Amino acid sequence: MDKIVALCKRRGFIFQSSEIYGGLNGFWDYGPLGVELKRNVKEAWWRDMITNHDEFSTPPGAPSAFSMVGLDCSLIMHPQVWKCSGHYDLFHDMMSDCRETKRRFRFDQIRGRWVHVEKDARGIHRYFIMTDADTPEAGLEDTVVKACKFFDVRRKDAEAALTWQSPGLVGITPKDNLAHVVTPGATQPGTMTEPREFNLMFKTTIGALGGAEDAAFLRPETAQGMFVNFKNVLDTQRVRVPFGIAQMGKSFRNEITPRNFTFRSREFEQMEMEFFCHPDQSRAWYQYWRDRRYQWYLSHGLGSDRLRLRDHAADELSHYSVGTADVEYAFPFCEPGEFGELEGVAHRGDFDLRSHMEGKLVRDASGCLAVETGADGKPRHPGSGKDLVYFDDQSRERYVPHVIEPAAGADRATLAFLCESYHEDAQPDEKGALQPRVVLKLHPRLSPIKVAVLPLVKKDGMPELGLELYRNFKRAGIPSYFDQQAAIGKRYRRQDEIGTPWCITVDGQSLQDQTVTLRDRDSLEQVRMPVNRVIDEIAARLRG
Ligand code: ATP
Protein backbone atom coordinates (compact mmCIF):
# COMPACT_ATOMS: atom_id res chain seq x y z
CA MET A 1 0.00 0.00 0.00
CA ASP A 2 2.85 2.38 0.83
CA LYS A 3 4.21 1.97 -2.68
CA ILE A 4 0.83 2.75 -4.22
CA VAL A 5 0.38 5.84 -2.05
CA ALA A 6 3.91 6.98 -2.99
CA LEU A 7 3.24 6.43 -6.71
CA CYS A 8 -0.02 8.40 -6.46
CA LYS A 9 1.84 11.36 -5.02
CA ARG A 10 4.94 11.09 -7.23
CA ARG A 11 3.01 10.91 -10.50
CA GLY A 12 0.16 13.25 -9.60
CA PHE A 13 -2.78 10.91 -9.04
CA ILE A 14 -3.75 11.84 -5.47
CA PHE A 15 -2.46 14.50 -3.07
CA GLN A 16 -3.37 15.17 0.52
CA SER A 17 -5.82 18.07 0.75
CA SER A 18 -4.28 21.41 1.80
CA GLU A 19 -0.91 19.72 2.05
CA ILE A 20 1.11 22.94 2.32
CA TYR A 21 -0.74 23.68 5.57
CA GLY A 22 -0.06 20.24 6.98
CA GLY A 23 -3.03 18.51 5.34
CA LEU A 24 -6.58 17.89 6.47
CA ASN A 25 -7.39 14.42 7.73
CA GLY A 26 -9.97 12.58 5.61
CA PHE A 27 -9.83 14.93 2.60
CA TRP A 28 -7.99 14.31 -0.68
CA ASP A 29 -7.24 16.13 -3.91
CA TYR A 30 -7.03 14.31 -7.25
CA GLY A 31 -4.04 15.48 -9.29
CA PRO A 32 -3.84 15.83 -13.08
CA LEU A 33 -3.69 12.07 -13.70
CA GLY A 34 -6.00 11.11 -10.82
CA VAL A 35 -8.78 13.37 -12.02
CA GLU A 36 -8.70 11.64 -15.41
CA LEU A 37 -8.65 8.17 -13.87
CA LYS A 38 -11.61 8.92 -11.58
CA ARG A 39 -13.50 10.62 -14.42
CA ASN A 40 -12.99 7.47 -16.49
CA VAL A 41 -14.29 5.28 -13.65
CA LYS A 42 -17.39 7.47 -13.32
CA GLU A 43 -17.80 7.65 -17.08
CA ALA A 44 -17.64 3.83 -17.32
CA TRP A 45 -20.38 3.61 -14.69
CA TRP A 46 -22.55 6.29 -16.32
CA ARG A 47 -22.13 4.70 -19.71
CA ASP A 48 -23.16 1.34 -18.32
CA MET A 49 -26.15 2.78 -16.44
CA ILE A 50 -27.38 5.53 -18.77
CA THR A 51 -25.59 6.28 -22.05
CA ASN A 52 -25.40 2.76 -23.44
CA HIS A 53 -28.66 1.56 -21.95
CA ASP A 54 -31.16 0.27 -24.49
CA GLU A 55 -34.64 0.52 -23.01
CA PHE A 56 -36.20 -1.57 -25.77
CA SER A 57 -34.30 -4.80 -25.20
CA THR A 58 -34.11 -7.07 -22.17
CA PRO A 59 -30.53 -7.41 -20.92
CA PRO A 60 -29.38 -10.99 -20.21
CA GLY A 61 -30.71 -12.13 -16.82
CA ALA A 62 -33.16 -9.22 -16.41
CA PRO A 63 -36.86 -9.91 -15.82
CA SER A 64 -37.84 -7.40 -18.56
CA ALA A 65 -36.72 -4.34 -20.52
CA PHE A 66 -36.54 -1.11 -18.45
CA SER A 67 -35.78 2.62 -18.65
CA MET A 68 -32.92 4.52 -17.04
CA VAL A 69 -32.55 8.27 -16.48
CA GLY A 70 -30.01 10.49 -14.73
CA LEU A 71 -30.20 13.23 -12.12
CA ASP A 72 -27.87 15.74 -10.45
CA CYS A 73 -29.23 17.04 -7.13
CA SER A 74 -28.07 19.72 -4.70
CA LEU A 75 -25.63 18.81 -1.95
CA ILE A 76 -27.76 20.49 0.70
CA MET A 77 -31.36 19.34 0.86
CA HIS A 78 -34.34 20.22 3.04
CA PRO A 79 -33.55 19.13 6.64
CA GLN A 80 -36.78 17.12 6.73
CA VAL A 81 -35.31 14.79 4.09
CA TRP A 82 -32.78 13.50 6.63
CA LYS A 83 -35.37 13.24 9.39
CA CYS A 84 -37.64 11.04 7.25
CA SER A 85 -34.77 8.99 5.82
CA GLY A 86 -33.62 8.09 9.32
CA HIS A 87 -30.20 9.73 9.02
CA TYR A 88 -31.01 12.37 11.61
CA ASP A 89 -31.80 9.79 14.31
CA LEU A 90 -29.83 6.76 13.23
CA PHE A 91 -26.81 7.76 11.17
CA HIS A 92 -24.26 7.60 13.91
CA ASP A 93 -21.29 5.60 15.03
CA MET A 94 -20.27 4.89 18.59
CA MET A 95 -16.96 6.47 19.49
CA SER A 96 -14.50 6.27 22.36
CA ASP A 97 -11.75 8.68 23.26
CA CYS A 98 -8.44 7.97 24.93
CA ARG A 99 -8.03 10.51 27.71
CA GLU A 100 -4.26 10.15 27.72
CA THR A 101 -3.35 10.22 24.02
CA LYS A 102 -6.40 12.29 22.99
CA ARG A 103 -6.97 9.87 20.13
CA ARG A 104 -10.50 9.05 19.03
CA PHE A 105 -11.65 5.63 17.89
CA ARG A 106 -14.71 4.15 16.27
CA PHE A 107 -15.95 1.68 18.83
CA ASP A 108 -16.76 -1.09 16.37
CA GLN A 109 -13.17 -0.93 15.14
CA ILE A 110 -11.62 -1.36 18.57
CA ARG A 111 -14.06 -3.88 19.98
CA GLY A 112 -12.46 -7.26 20.15
CA ARG A 113 -9.05 -6.00 19.14
CA TRP A 114 -7.21 -4.85 22.18
CA VAL A 115 -5.87 -6.56 25.19
CA HIS A 116 -4.52 -5.60 28.53
CA VAL A 117 -1.22 -7.32 29.19
CA GLU A 118 0.01 -7.85 32.73
CA LYS A 119 2.43 -10.11 34.54
CA ASP A 120 1.23 -12.24 37.42
CA ALA A 121 3.26 -13.02 40.54
CA ARG A 122 5.09 -15.82 38.69
CA GLY A 123 6.09 -13.44 35.90
CA ILE A 124 3.70 -14.97 33.37
CA HIS A 125 1.91 -12.61 31.03
CA ARG A 126 -1.86 -12.55 31.23
CA TYR A 127 -3.87 -11.37 28.28
CA PHE A 128 -7.28 -9.95 28.89
CA ILE A 129 -9.08 -10.02 25.63
CA MET A 130 -11.70 -7.43 25.06
CA THR A 131 -14.53 -9.01 23.15
CA ASP A 132 -18.10 -8.47 22.37
CA ALA A 133 -20.32 -10.24 24.88
CA ASP A 134 -21.59 -12.51 22.13
CA THR A 135 -18.39 -13.11 20.17
CA PRO A 136 -18.59 -16.78 19.18
CA GLU A 137 -15.92 -19.10 20.53
CA ALA A 138 -14.51 -19.46 17.00
CA GLY A 139 -14.03 -15.69 16.72
CA LEU A 140 -11.83 -15.56 19.81
CA GLU A 141 -8.81 -17.16 18.19
CA ASP A 142 -8.95 -14.54 15.48
CA THR A 143 -9.06 -11.88 18.17
CA VAL A 144 -6.02 -13.32 19.91
CA VAL A 145 -4.03 -13.31 16.67
CA LYS A 146 -4.98 -9.70 15.94
CA ALA A 147 -4.25 -8.61 19.48
CA CYS A 148 -0.82 -10.26 19.49
CA LYS A 149 0.01 -8.59 16.20
CA PHE A 150 -1.18 -5.27 17.47
CA PHE A 151 0.92 -5.41 20.64
CA ASP A 152 3.83 -7.09 18.95
CA VAL A 153 3.51 -10.03 21.33
CA ARG A 154 4.63 -13.46 20.18
CA ARG A 155 1.69 -15.80 19.64
CA LYS A 156 3.68 -18.48 21.51
CA ASP A 157 3.72 -16.34 24.66
CA ALA A 158 0.03 -15.71 24.40
CA GLU A 159 -0.51 -19.45 24.13
CA ALA A 160 1.32 -20.03 27.40
CA ALA A 161 -0.78 -17.47 29.13
CA LEU A 162 -3.99 -18.83 27.69
CA THR A 163 -3.13 -22.36 28.77
CA TRP A 164 -2.38 -21.07 32.20
CA GLN A 165 -5.75 -19.39 32.22
CA SER A 166 -7.47 -22.55 31.12
CA PRO A 167 -10.12 -23.82 30.81
CA GLY A 168 -10.77 -20.95 28.37
CA LEU A 169 -10.19 -17.41 27.39
CA VAL A 170 -11.33 -14.59 29.53
CA GLY A 171 -14.05 -12.90 27.53
CA ILE A 172 -14.53 -9.40 28.80
CA THR A 173 -17.53 -7.37 27.78
CA PRO A 174 -16.53 -3.87 26.80
CA LYS A 175 -18.86 -1.90 28.98
CA ASP A 176 -17.68 -3.15 32.37
CA ASN A 177 -14.07 -3.54 31.46
CA LEU A 178 -12.87 -0.46 29.66
CA ALA A 179 -10.79 0.00 32.78
CA HIS A 180 -8.57 -2.88 31.67
CA VAL A 181 -7.95 -1.74 28.15
CA VAL A 182 -4.67 -0.26 27.02
CA THR A 183 -5.04 1.95 23.98
CA PRO A 184 -2.13 2.26 21.53
CA GLY A 185 0.39 4.81 22.68
CA ALA A 186 -1.06 5.07 26.20
CA THR A 187 1.04 4.20 29.22
CA GLN A 188 -1.84 3.45 31.58
CA PRO A 189 -4.80 1.12 31.21
CA GLY A 190 -8.32 2.46 31.60
CA THR A 191 -7.94 5.70 29.64
CA MET A 192 -10.81 4.93 27.25
CA THR A 193 -14.08 6.75 27.68
CA GLU A 194 -17.41 4.94 27.56
CA PRO A 195 -18.62 4.67 23.97
CA ARG A 196 -21.00 7.42 22.94
CA GLU A 197 -23.02 8.31 19.87
CA PHE A 198 -21.71 10.63 17.19
CA ASN A 199 -23.82 11.69 14.21
CA LEU A 200 -21.84 11.48 10.98
CA MET A 201 -23.66 14.26 9.12
CA PHE A 202 -21.81 17.55 8.56
CA LYS A 203 -23.90 20.39 9.90
CA THR A 204 -24.08 23.81 8.32
CA THR A 205 -26.38 26.82 8.49
CA ILE A 206 -28.39 28.43 5.73
CA GLY A 207 -28.54 32.20 5.40
CA ALA A 208 -26.88 35.09 7.18
CA LEU A 209 -28.73 34.91 10.47
CA GLY A 210 -28.16 31.20 10.97
CA GLY A 211 -30.39 30.33 13.93
CA ALA A 212 -30.98 26.76 15.15
CA GLU A 213 -33.99 26.46 12.84
CA ASP A 214 -31.73 27.19 9.84
CA ALA A 215 -29.50 24.17 10.50
CA ALA A 216 -28.96 22.01 7.46
CA PHE A 217 -26.73 19.11 6.53
CA LEU A 218 -24.37 18.27 3.69
CA ARG A 219 -25.81 15.13 2.13
CA PRO A 220 -24.32 11.91 3.51
CA GLU A 221 -25.52 9.99 0.43
CA THR A 222 -26.85 10.85 -3.01
CA ALA A 223 -29.76 8.39 -2.82
CA GLN A 224 -32.33 10.69 -1.20
CA GLY A 225 -32.23 13.01 -4.23
CA MET A 226 -33.72 10.20 -6.31
CA PHE A 227 -36.53 9.48 -3.86
CA VAL A 228 -37.65 13.07 -3.41
CA ASN A 229 -37.61 13.54 -7.21
CA PHE A 230 -39.44 10.30 -7.97
CA LYS A 231 -42.66 12.11 -8.84
CA ASN A 232 -40.88 14.83 -10.84
CA VAL A 233 -39.21 12.20 -12.99
CA LEU A 234 -42.45 10.27 -13.48
CA ASP A 235 -44.34 13.43 -14.43
CA THR A 236 -41.75 14.80 -16.86
CA GLN A 237 -40.21 11.73 -18.51
CA ARG A 238 -41.93 9.02 -20.47
CA VAL A 239 -40.91 6.32 -18.02
CA ARG A 240 -42.93 3.47 -16.56
CA VAL A 241 -42.10 1.12 -13.71
CA PRO A 242 -39.67 -0.64 -13.87
CA PHE A 243 -37.14 2.15 -14.27
CA GLY A 244 -34.01 3.44 -12.59
CA ILE A 245 -32.72 6.89 -11.64
CA ALA A 246 -28.95 7.25 -11.40
CA GLN A 247 -26.83 9.98 -9.89
CA MET A 248 -23.18 10.47 -9.08
CA GLY A 249 -21.68 13.18 -6.96
CA LYS A 250 -20.15 14.27 -3.69
CA SER A 251 -21.28 13.00 -0.30
CA PHE A 252 -19.99 13.98 3.11
CA ARG A 253 -19.61 11.98 6.31
CA ASN A 254 -17.83 13.19 9.39
CA GLU A 255 -16.08 9.84 9.81
CA ILE A 256 -14.53 9.40 13.25
CA THR A 257 -11.42 7.70 11.96
CA PRO A 258 -10.78 8.40 8.28
CA ARG A 259 -8.10 5.96 7.16
CA ASN A 260 -6.63 3.68 4.56
CA PHE A 261 -5.85 6.43 2.07
CA THR A 262 -9.05 7.42 0.21
CA PHE A 263 -10.98 4.31 1.32
CA ARG A 264 -12.60 6.07 4.26
CA SER A 265 -12.72 9.81 3.59
CA ARG A 266 -14.91 12.57 4.93
CA GLU A 267 -15.71 13.92 1.48
CA PHE A 268 -16.12 11.37 -1.30
CA GLU A 269 -18.06 10.62 -4.45
CA GLN A 270 -20.83 8.11 -4.80
CA MET A 271 -22.40 6.48 -7.84
CA GLU A 272 -25.88 5.42 -6.86
CA MET A 273 -28.96 4.16 -8.65
CA GLU A 274 -32.48 3.68 -7.34
CA PHE A 275 -34.44 1.12 -9.32
CA PHE A 276 -38.23 1.26 -8.93
CA CYS A 277 -40.14 -1.96 -9.59
CA HIS A 278 -43.34 -3.85 -8.83
CA PRO A 279 -43.22 -5.49 -5.36
CA ASP A 280 -43.89 -8.95 -6.85
CA GLN A 281 -40.86 -8.65 -9.10
CA SER A 282 -38.51 -7.02 -6.62
CA ARG A 283 -36.64 -10.17 -5.62
CA ALA A 284 -35.88 -11.01 -9.24
CA TRP A 285 -34.64 -7.45 -9.83
CA TYR A 286 -32.53 -7.58 -6.71
CA GLN A 287 -30.85 -10.74 -7.99
CA TYR A 288 -30.31 -9.12 -11.38
CA TRP A 289 -28.64 -5.97 -10.05
CA ARG A 290 -26.57 -7.86 -7.50
CA ASP A 291 -25.06 -10.01 -10.24
CA ARG A 292 -24.75 -7.26 -12.81
CA ARG A 293 -22.86 -4.90 -10.51
CA TYR A 294 -20.38 -7.62 -9.56
CA GLN A 295 -19.75 -8.30 -13.25
CA TRP A 296 -19.08 -4.61 -13.88
CA TYR A 297 -16.02 -4.66 -11.61
CA LEU A 298 -14.79 -7.92 -13.14
CA SER A 299 -15.14 -6.57 -16.66
CA HIS A 300 -13.12 -3.47 -15.75
CA GLY A 301 -10.17 -5.46 -14.53
CA LEU A 302 -10.62 -6.39 -10.86
CA GLY A 303 -9.30 -9.94 -10.45
CA SER A 304 -11.87 -12.45 -9.34
CA ASP A 305 -9.70 -13.83 -6.54
CA ARG A 306 -9.56 -10.46 -4.79
CA LEU A 307 -13.15 -9.54 -5.57
CA ARG A 308 -16.16 -11.15 -3.96
CA LEU A 309 -19.90 -10.76 -3.69
CA ARG A 310 -21.03 -11.31 -0.11
CA ASP A 311 -24.65 -11.68 0.96
CA HIS A 312 -25.43 -10.08 4.29
CA ALA A 313 -26.56 -12.36 7.09
CA ALA A 314 -30.11 -11.67 8.34
CA ASP A 315 -28.83 -9.88 11.48
CA GLU A 316 -26.65 -7.54 9.38
CA LEU A 317 -29.58 -6.17 7.38
CA SER A 318 -30.94 -2.65 7.96
CA HIS A 319 -34.32 -2.60 9.62
CA TYR A 320 -36.09 -2.08 6.28
CA SER A 321 -34.04 -4.36 4.03
CA VAL A 322 -35.08 -7.80 2.81
CA GLY A 323 -31.71 -8.48 1.21
CA THR A 324 -28.32 -6.83 0.79
CA ALA A 325 -25.13 -7.99 -0.87
CA ASP A 326 -21.78 -6.20 -0.86
CA VAL A 327 -19.24 -6.20 -3.64
CA GLU A 328 -15.96 -6.36 -1.75
CA TYR A 329 -12.28 -6.17 -2.64
CA ALA A 330 -9.27 -7.46 -0.74
CA PHE A 331 -7.33 -4.18 -0.56
CA PRO A 332 -3.64 -4.43 0.38
CA PHE A 333 -4.42 -2.83 3.76
CA CYS A 334 -6.97 -5.52 4.67
CA GLU A 335 -5.97 -8.27 7.08
CA PRO A 336 -5.60 -11.69 5.41
CA GLY A 337 -9.08 -12.99 4.67
CA GLU A 338 -10.67 -9.57 5.17
CA PHE A 339 -12.25 -7.46 2.44
CA GLY A 340 -13.29 -3.80 2.07
CA GLU A 341 -16.70 -2.75 0.73
CA LEU A 342 -16.81 -1.27 -2.78
CA GLU A 343 -20.55 -1.24 -3.24
CA GLY A 344 -23.70 -2.32 -1.45
CA VAL A 345 -26.66 -3.64 -3.42
CA ALA A 346 -29.77 -3.44 -1.25
CA HIS A 347 -33.38 -4.42 -1.59
CA ARG A 348 -35.02 -1.51 0.27
CA GLY A 349 -38.67 -2.47 -0.14
CA ASP A 350 -41.01 0.53 -0.09
CA PHE A 351 -39.30 2.10 2.92
CA ASP A 352 -37.99 5.25 1.24
CA LEU A 353 -41.01 6.35 -0.78
CA ARG A 354 -43.33 5.61 2.13
CA SER A 355 -41.12 7.55 4.57
CA HIS A 356 -41.19 10.60 2.32
CA MET A 357 -44.97 10.34 2.05
CA GLU A 358 -46.03 9.37 5.56
CA GLY A 359 -43.14 10.20 7.87
CA LYS A 360 -40.17 8.40 9.37
CA LEU A 361 -40.87 4.67 9.63
CA VAL A 362 -39.83 2.26 12.36
CA ARG A 363 -40.67 -1.39 12.98
CA ASP A 364 -43.60 -1.82 15.35
CA ALA A 365 -44.06 -4.67 17.86
CA SER A 366 -45.45 -6.95 15.13
CA GLY A 367 -42.38 -6.32 12.95
CA CYS A 368 -44.24 -4.15 10.41
CA LEU A 369 -43.02 -0.73 9.32
CA ALA A 370 -45.15 2.02 10.83
CA VAL A 371 -44.83 5.78 11.21
CA GLU A 372 -42.95 6.64 14.37
CA THR A 373 -45.05 8.78 16.68
CA GLY A 374 -44.15 11.07 19.56
CA ALA A 375 -45.79 11.26 22.99
CA ASP A 376 -48.61 13.34 21.45
CA GLY A 377 -49.43 10.52 19.00
CA LYS A 378 -48.38 12.64 16.02
CA PRO A 379 -45.61 11.56 13.57
CA ARG A 380 -42.25 12.37 15.14
CA HIS A 381 -40.84 13.34 11.74
CA PRO A 382 -43.76 14.00 9.36
CA GLY A 383 -43.35 13.14 5.68
CA SER A 384 -44.11 15.45 2.76
CA GLY A 385 -47.75 14.35 2.57
CA LYS A 386 -47.36 14.13 -1.22
CA ASP A 387 -48.78 11.18 -3.10
CA LEU A 388 -45.83 9.05 -4.22
CA VAL A 389 -48.00 6.09 -5.15
CA TYR A 390 -47.51 4.77 -8.69
CA PHE A 391 -50.51 4.22 -10.95
CA ASP A 392 -50.03 1.67 -13.70
CA ASP A 393 -52.40 2.81 -16.45
CA GLN A 394 -52.25 -0.57 -18.20
CA SER A 395 -53.00 -2.89 -15.28
CA ARG A 396 -55.01 -0.11 -13.49
CA GLU A 397 -53.06 -1.00 -10.34
CA ARG A 398 -51.91 1.49 -7.69
CA TYR A 399 -48.89 0.63 -5.54
CA VAL A 400 -45.78 2.01 -3.88
CA PRO A 401 -42.86 0.67 -5.95
CA HIS A 402 -40.15 -1.35 -4.27
CA VAL A 403 -36.58 -0.14 -4.63
CA ILE A 404 -33.33 -1.90 -5.45
CA GLU A 405 -30.30 0.27 -4.73
CA PRO A 406 -26.78 -0.40 -6.00
CA ALA A 407 -24.69 2.18 -4.08
CA ALA A 408 -21.05 2.42 -5.10
CA GLY A 409 -18.16 4.72 -4.17
CA ALA A 410 -16.18 6.32 -6.99
CA ASP A 411 -13.12 6.82 -4.79
CA ARG A 412 -13.10 3.26 -3.47
CA ALA A 413 -13.53 1.88 -7.00
CA THR A 414 -10.69 4.11 -8.25
CA LEU A 415 -8.47 2.94 -5.38
CA ALA A 416 -9.30 -0.71 -6.07
CA PHE A 417 -8.43 -0.30 -9.77
CA LEU A 418 -5.13 1.34 -8.78
CA CYS A 419 -4.29 -1.44 -6.31
CA GLU A 420 -5.23 -4.24 -8.68
CA SER A 421 -3.26 -2.77 -11.57
CA TYR A 422 -0.01 -2.12 -9.66
CA HIS A 423 2.76 -4.49 -10.78
CA GLU A 424 6.53 -4.53 -10.56
CA ASP A 425 8.86 -6.33 -12.94
CA ALA A 426 12.16 -5.75 -14.74
CA GLN A 427 12.73 -5.00 -18.41
CA PRO A 428 15.98 -4.79 -20.38
CA ASP A 429 17.09 -1.30 -21.40
CA GLU A 430 18.81 -0.32 -24.71
CA LYS A 431 22.05 -1.93 -23.52
CA GLY A 432 20.33 -5.12 -22.39
CA ALA A 433 20.65 -4.35 -18.65
CA LEU A 434 17.58 -5.20 -16.59
CA GLN A 435 15.81 -2.11 -15.22
CA PRO A 436 13.10 -2.31 -12.57
CA ARG A 437 9.72 -1.35 -13.94
CA VAL A 438 6.53 -0.28 -12.18
CA VAL A 439 3.49 -0.76 -14.36
CA LEU A 440 -0.16 0.05 -13.82
CA LYS A 441 -2.05 -2.56 -15.84
CA LEU A 442 -5.22 -0.48 -15.93
CA HIS A 443 -8.09 -1.38 -18.22
CA PRO A 444 -7.38 0.86 -21.28
CA ARG A 445 -10.75 2.58 -20.88
CA LEU A 446 -9.74 3.67 -17.37
CA SER A 447 -6.17 4.78 -18.20
CA PRO A 448 -5.73 8.58 -17.89
CA ILE A 449 -3.66 8.71 -21.10
CA LYS A 450 -4.43 6.24 -23.87
CA VAL A 451 -1.43 6.72 -26.10
CA ALA A 452 2.02 8.34 -25.91
CA VAL A 453 3.77 9.49 -29.07
CA LEU A 454 7.55 9.22 -28.79
CA PRO A 455 10.01 10.35 -31.51
CA LEU A 456 13.07 8.10 -31.23
CA VAL A 457 15.45 11.07 -31.42
CA LYS A 458 14.95 14.82 -31.30
CA LYS A 459 16.05 15.46 -34.91
CA ASP A 460 15.70 14.48 -38.60
CA GLY A 461 12.01 15.38 -38.78
CA MET A 462 10.90 12.79 -36.23
CA PRO A 463 9.56 15.34 -33.67
CA GLU A 464 7.52 17.04 -36.43
CA LEU A 465 5.91 13.80 -37.57
CA GLY A 466 5.30 12.80 -33.93
CA LEU A 467 3.69 16.14 -33.07
CA GLU A 468 1.36 15.88 -36.03
CA LEU A 469 0.28 12.41 -34.91
CA TYR A 470 -0.18 13.62 -31.32
CA ARG A 471 -2.44 16.43 -32.55
CA ASN A 472 -4.45 14.05 -34.70
CA PHE A 473 -5.09 11.86 -31.65
CA LYS A 474 -6.31 14.92 -29.77
CA ARG A 475 -8.62 15.85 -32.65
CA ALA A 476 -10.02 12.32 -32.59
CA GLY A 477 -10.83 12.78 -28.88
CA ILE A 478 -8.23 10.23 -27.71
CA PRO A 479 -6.18 11.51 -24.72
CA SER A 480 -2.57 11.46 -25.89
CA TYR A 481 0.85 12.60 -24.69
CA PHE A 482 3.98 13.73 -26.54
CA ASP A 483 7.39 13.08 -25.02
CA GLN A 484 10.81 13.54 -26.61
CA GLN A 485 12.95 13.81 -23.47
CA ALA A 486 15.34 11.01 -22.37
CA ALA A 487 16.22 7.57 -23.76
CA ILE A 488 13.34 5.67 -25.29
CA GLY A 489 13.41 2.91 -22.62
CA LYS A 490 13.07 5.50 -19.88
CA ARG A 491 10.17 7.12 -21.71
CA TYR A 492 8.41 3.75 -22.01
CA ARG A 493 8.83 3.19 -18.27
CA ARG A 494 7.44 6.66 -17.51
CA GLN A 495 4.28 5.74 -19.42
CA ASP A 496 4.05 2.21 -17.97
CA GLU A 497 4.08 3.68 -14.47
CA ILE A 498 0.96 5.75 -15.14
CA GLY A 499 -0.85 2.99 -17.00
CA THR A 500 -0.67 4.27 -20.61
CA PRO A 501 -1.67 1.18 -22.60
CA TRP A 502 0.09 2.05 -25.88
CA CYS A 503 3.21 3.92 -27.00
CA ILE A 504 3.90 4.90 -30.60
CA THR A 505 7.49 5.35 -31.66
CA VAL A 506 8.42 7.49 -34.64
CA ASP A 507 11.84 6.46 -35.99
CA GLY A 508 14.03 6.90 -39.07
CA GLN A 509 12.02 4.40 -41.08
CA SER A 510 8.83 6.35 -40.35
CA LEU A 511 10.11 9.22 -42.47
CA GLN A 512 10.81 6.95 -45.41
CA ASP A 513 7.74 4.68 -45.48
CA GLN A 514 5.23 6.47 -43.20
CA THR A 515 5.06 3.61 -40.70
CA VAL A 516 5.38 3.71 -36.89
CA THR A 517 5.74 1.07 -34.16
CA LEU A 518 2.92 0.47 -31.72
CA ARG A 519 4.03 -0.98 -28.37
CA ASP A 520 1.63 -2.71 -25.98
CA ARG A 521 2.16 -2.00 -22.25
CA ASP A 522 1.24 -5.49 -21.04
CA SER A 523 2.47 -7.87 -23.74
CA LEU A 524 5.38 -5.54 -24.68
CA GLU A 525 4.72 -6.61 -28.26
CA GLN A 526 5.72 -4.07 -30.92
CA VAL A 527 4.05 -4.01 -34.30
CA ARG A 528 4.76 -1.78 -37.31
CA MET A 529 1.85 -0.16 -39.05
CA PRO A 530 1.10 2.70 -41.44
CA VAL A 531 0.88 5.98 -39.58
CA ASN A 532 -2.47 6.78 -41.20
CA ARG A 533 -4.02 3.60 -39.71
CA VAL A 534 -2.84 3.99 -36.15
CA ILE A 535 -5.65 6.25 -34.89
CA ASP A 536 -8.35 3.85 -36.12
CA GLU A 537 -6.42 0.97 -34.57
CA ILE A 538 -6.30 2.63 -31.11
CA ALA A 539 -9.96 3.69 -31.35
CA ALA A 540 -10.93 0.08 -32.21
CA ARG A 541 -8.88 -1.30 -29.30
CA LEU A 542 -10.55 1.16 -26.91
CA ARG A 543 -13.99 0.14 -28.11
CA GLY A 544 -13.05 -3.55 -27.90
P1 ATP B 1 -18.85 1.53 5.37
O1 ATP B 1 -19.54 0.38 6.07
O2 ATP B 1 -17.53 1.16 4.77
O3 ATP B 1 -18.80 2.78 6.17
P2 ATP B 1 -21.36 2.03 4.18
O4 ATP B 1 -21.99 0.68 4.18
O5 ATP B 1 -21.75 3.01 5.22
O6 ATP B 1 -19.77 1.89 4.11
P3 ATP B 1 -22.97 3.05 2.05
O7 ATP B 1 -23.73 3.94 2.91
O8 ATP B 1 -23.63 1.78 1.58
O9 ATP B 1 -21.58 2.68 2.75
O10 ATP B 1 -22.40 3.88 0.82
C1 ATP B 1 -22.25 3.33 -0.47
C2 ATP B 1 -20.81 3.37 -0.93
O11 ATP B 1 -20.26 4.67 -0.73
C3 ATP B 1 -19.87 2.45 -0.17
O12 ATP B 1 -19.95 1.13 -0.65
C4 ATP B 1 -18.53 3.07 -0.45
O13 ATP B 1 -18.04 2.67 -1.73
C5 ATP B 1 -18.86 4.56 -0.49
N1 ATP B 1 -18.49 5.16 0.80
C6 ATP B 1 -19.23 5.17 1.93
N2 ATP B 1 -18.57 5.82 2.92
C7 ATP B 1 -17.38 6.22 2.38
C8 ATP B 1 -16.27 6.94 2.89
N3 ATP B 1 -16.24 7.40 4.14
N4 ATP B 1 -15.22 7.19 2.06
C9 ATP B 1 -15.23 6.75 0.78
N5 ATP B 1 -16.26 6.07 0.25
C10 ATP B 1 -17.33 5.80 1.03
Side-chain angles (χ1 to χ4, degrees), residues 117 149 279 334:
V117 188
K149 193 170 159 205
C334 294

Side-chain angles (χ1 to χ4, degrees), residues 253 255 262-265 268 270 341-343 407-409 412:
R253 296 183 187 179
E255 298 279 359
T262 56
F263 181 84
R264 187 168 300 288
S265 313
F268 53 96
Q270 291 186 305
E341 176 183 324
L342 289 177
E343 170 162 352
R412 285 194 190 172

Side-chain angles (χ1 to χ4, degrees), residues 148-198:
C148 290
K149 193 170 159 205
F150 195 87
F151 279 96
D152 204 15
V153 168
R154 283 181 306 177
R155 179 71 184 83
K156 192 159 64 62
D157 294 342
E159 204 75 72
L162 296 174
T163 318
W164 173 74
Q165 274 184 11
S166 105
L169 300 170
V170 182
I172 302 174
T173 53
K175 269 222 173 272
D176 358 311
N177 285 286
L178 281 172
H180 295 292
V181 171
V182 185
T183 60
T187 55
Q188 299 297 316
T191 56
M192 293 285 277
T193 61
E194 287 291 329
R196 60 201 155 93
E197 286 178 3
F198 173 75

